[in-house]
Amino acid sequence: MANDRRSRAVLSLALEAQTEYITTTSHKRDRMAIIVGMDNSPNGLRKFYVSRPHVGYLSERWYQAIKRNTYRTRFRKRRITKTIHFADDDANAMRIFLYIAHAQPTKLPQRLSLDELVQLARVAQRYSLNHLVVGYLDNWIRPHRNRILDPEYRWLYMAWQFGLDQDYRYLALHLAQNCPVNTEGRFVAPSTNRTITTLLPSHVLGESF
């Protein structure tokens, strides 16, 4: 019963979502729909039709996530073999990974904002997808190098996730030398006196000093 309710909810989202066709297959049985985000997500709710052979196994974490989030839905008597919902992910970031998985680099954005790079890192971390974007990162990151010391230390998280060791060590050292620690044991940005809410796990910082 719970699964039926969830399937109906996913179908409702599928009908509402903006749709984009990424699939390169003409065989409907090889298609599946990936719904990303929610109505109130920063980049909205999106639905991508993809080719199952292209995205079936991008990593072990990805494979397990697909298994957990797959629902079978039916619309106007036409079966969608698989509908997958990633409610907590960013649609624009997921779009990038899906186009890379389908070997369509011309559909990728030329530039990404710093916030978009953070969202890309989040999806890469969650599903172990660094290997898909490693060839594109330099072009996307280079325009933001003058913001490496941005007050929220978003660069620190990106450097950790994408394996930018030199940037990460530089930022971790800067953090240790220039940012005071509050009574809760959290770093505070000296320019704003705000707690640094980096996505980086705290134990990783400890290992760097």
Side-chain angles (χ1 to χ4, degrees), residues 152 186-187 194-200:
E152 296 179 12
R186 296 180 178 274
F187 286 110
R194 292 192 306 177
T195 301
I196 296 173
T197 56
T198 177
L199 299 168
L200 190 67

Side-chain angles (χ1 to χ4, degrees), residues 1-182:
M1 186 66 71
N3 285 339
D4 289 342
R5 287 197 299 270
R6 180 60 176 160
S7 294
R8 287 195 294 270
V10 171
L11 176 57
S12 177
L13 290 173
L15 297 176
E16 298 171 8
Q18 179 183 345
T19 301
E20 187 168 350
Y21 286 85
I22 298 179
T23 178
T24 57
T25 179
S26 59
H27 300 292
K28 294 178 181 178
R29 67 178 178 272
D30 286 335
R31 293 180 188 171
M32 59 184 181
I34 295 181
I35 303 171
V36 186
M38 298 293 291
D39 286 330
N40 59 354
S41 298
N43 286 309
L45 179 69
R46 303 279 292 281
K47 176 173 61 175
F48 303 97
Y49 280 104
V50 300
S51 167
R52 195 186 315 173
H54 285 79
V55 302
Y57 195 94
L58 300 180
S59 72
E60 180 61 26
R61 283 189 186 177
W62 172 265
Y63 175 70
Q64 294 301 327
I66 284 181
K67 287 175 62 177
R68 288 194 305 271
N69 294 284
T70 296
Y71 305 89
R72 295 185 180 275
T73 57
R74 184 187 294 272
F75 176 57
R76 293 180 182 174
K77 298 183 179 180
R78 178 168 171 242
R79 180 173 294 279
I80 299 174
T81 305
K82 283 188 176 182
T83 300
I84 300 162
H85 186 206
F86 294 125
D88 298 326
D89 293 310
D90 180 80
N92 287 353
M94 187 65 76
R95 178 183 184 273
I96 289 172
F97 287 106
L98 294 177
Y99 269 115
I100 293 174
H102 284 77
Q104 297 184 43
T106 59
K107 299 293 183 68
L108 300 179
Q110 295 298 310
R111 298 177 67 91
L112 292 178
S113 70
L114 193 55
D115 284 334
E116 287 172 330
L117 282 167
V118 170
Q119 293 300 330
L120 196 74
R122 278 177 154 172
V123 175
Q125 178 190 0
R126 185 169 289 161
Y127 305 113
S128 297
L129 297 179
N130 271 12
H131 60 285
L132 292 181
V133 294
V134 65
Y136 305 93
L137 285 174
D138 187 56
N139 286 336
W140 288 332
I141 288 176
R142 191 184 306 119
H144 303 289
R145 286 206 167 272
N146 62 339
R147 301 176 63 190
I148 195 168
L149 293 177
D150 93 285
E152 296 179 12
Y153 286 86
R154 290 168 292 182
W155 254 94
L156 187 67
Y157 172 67
M158 287 195 309
W160 171 73
Q161 175 56 36
F162 291 136
L164 308 175
D165 292 341
Q166 186 174 351
D167 293 327
Y168 174 74
R169 292 183 181 279
Y170 167 74
L171 284 166
L173 183 61
H174 178 88
L175 193 68
Q177 292 177 339
N178 296 277
C179 296
V181 177
N182 64 16

